[in-house]
Amino acid sequence: MTITVRYFAVLRDRRGLAEESISGDFTTARALVDQLIVQHRLDLPSALIRIAQNGQFVADDSPVNDGDVIVLIPPVAGG
Amino acid sequence: MFRLTDVPITQEPMLVEAAGGFVTFEGKVRNHAMGRSVIRLEYEAFPDLAIPEGVALLEEAKAKYGLLSASVIHRTGLLEVGDTAVLIQVAAAHRHEAFAGCEWIIDQLKHRVPIWKKEHFADGDSGWVGADVPSPNEDLYRALVQRQRSTEEVGEVGQTAIREAKVLMVGVGG
């Protein structure tokens, strides 16, 4: 399957890009994030990253589907 | 209303005839963070999620505190010291709910809404809060500082000296 992954803030700085299209056999949202952390040495604990899938926050075990847009949300600091 | 903007924030009057208490909070860029001198802040948002989450947060605030109106404007981009990063306005029949509701909104916004802050320091360094640099745990910080301040041997003068001190740490291996 092919999906789009978007990075923000510190993750965008560490990944070196804001968005990419990747292909593979992806299982759950959390497994995907864990894989990206290792693959790209994002150097942030997975537990600190929330995951949005197609515009909604999702749980760790949400299955990833072809065409999904997955957004990695690092620790927020607004206000 | 929850709105993002990349230009300086201007406050619109809130007109609610049934409200007697109107509270406004302005979060501005201060010139220090965790003991370091700050020259600017950079805010980034993910609007697709920030806006729905912000709207949901305001609906919860209204239900929880009986607010008659609540609105947030948050700025993104590069902000200088003294600029307003966030403006919150609430209206309630009475003042207690207005104060409490406004405080709840800023507290919730800080950990729920996908908005990020990068601190740019006077020494040229910069870091994303919560990742490169620690998020201040304000409640804990306040509790610790209060204890030191009220200790006779430290006091207010001592607390100021501690905050402004610099520490050199040298590692020599082994």
Side-chain angles (χ1 to χ4, degrees):
Chain A
M1 66 178 84
T2 299
I3 62 172
T4 301
V5 180
R6 294 181 67 183
Y7 302 93
F8 281 92
V10 63
L11 291 179
R12 187 201 47 251
D13 285 359
R14 290 181 187 174
R15 177 67 190 93
L17 45 78
E19 182 172 312
E20 60 183 337
S21 184
I22 57 176
S23 298
D25 290 320
F26 307 114
T27 55
T28 65
R30 183 56 62 187
L32 168 66
V33 169
D34 290 345
Q35 177 190 321
L36 293 169
I37 288 172
V38 169
Q39 198 175 337
H40 301 300
R41 298 184 216 278
L42 299 178
D43 193 26
L44 201 65
S46 188
L48 292 185
I49 299 173
R50 280 189 290 169
I51 309 169
Q53 181 177 19
N54 304 325
Q56 314 252 2
F57 285 116
V58 292
D60 290 354
D61 57 3
S62 179
V64 178
N65 303 303
D66 188 49
D68 277 353
V69 177
I70 304 285
V71 180
L72 275 58
I73 311 276
V76 301
Chain B
M1 173 203 59
F2 189 96
R3 186 159 71 79
L4 299 174
T5 181
D6 59 4
V7 299
I9 294 172
T10 50
Q11 180 166 352
E12 301 294 324
M14 191 170 254
L15 304 166
V16 185
E17 290 189 356
F22 292 78
V23 171
T24 297
F25 172 76
E26 284 187 88
K28 294 191 178 214
V29 178
R30 71 178 118 75
N31 63 3
H32 62 97
M34 304 291 267
R36 299 174 74 177
S37 185
V38 167
I39 52 170
R40 69 177 54 87
L41 289 186
E42 186 179 339
Y43 281 95
E44 182 176 314
F46 175 33
D48 290 359
L49 256 183
I51 292 172
E53 190 65 18
V55 167
L57 191 163
L58 291 178
E59 291 308 305
E60 284 174 45
K62 288 196 267 200
K64 190 174 164 70
Y65 293 96
L67 304 177
L68 298 175
S69 188
S71 113
V72 171
I73 306 174
H74 201 302
R75 190 170 159 197
T76 57
L78 284 173
L79 276 66
E80 303 300 306
V81 170
D83 283 352
T84 299
V86 63
L87 179 76
I88 302 176
Q89 291 171 261
V90 306
H94 304 287
R95 69 187 183 284
H96 172 75
E97 289 77 14
F99 278 117
C102 188
E103 183 167 28
W104 189 87
I105 290 167
I106 181 63
D107 287 348
Q108 291 291 306
L109 188 155
K110 279 178 170 294
H111 71 260
R112 275 170 65 170
V113 181
I115 297 176
W116 299 274
K117 174 186 337 189
K118 187 175 198 178
E119 290 167 338
H120 292 259
F121 301 105
D123 59 16
D125 196 15
S126 64
W128 292 99
V129 174
D132 300 317
V133 296
S135 325
N137 182 333
E138 287 176 13
D139 292 335
L140 176 62
Y141 179 71
R142 253 180 291 194
L144 292 173
V145 163
Q146 184 49 38
R147 224 171 271 160
Q148 283 168 187
R149 267 206 189 99
S150 56
T151 300
E152 203 180 298
E153 291 83 350
V154 179
E156 188 63 55
V157 172
Q159 181 54 38
T160 303
I162 290 169
R163 194 182 65 231
E164 292 172 359
K166 290 177 176 38
V167 176
L168 170 65
M169 295 179 67
V170 178
V172 294

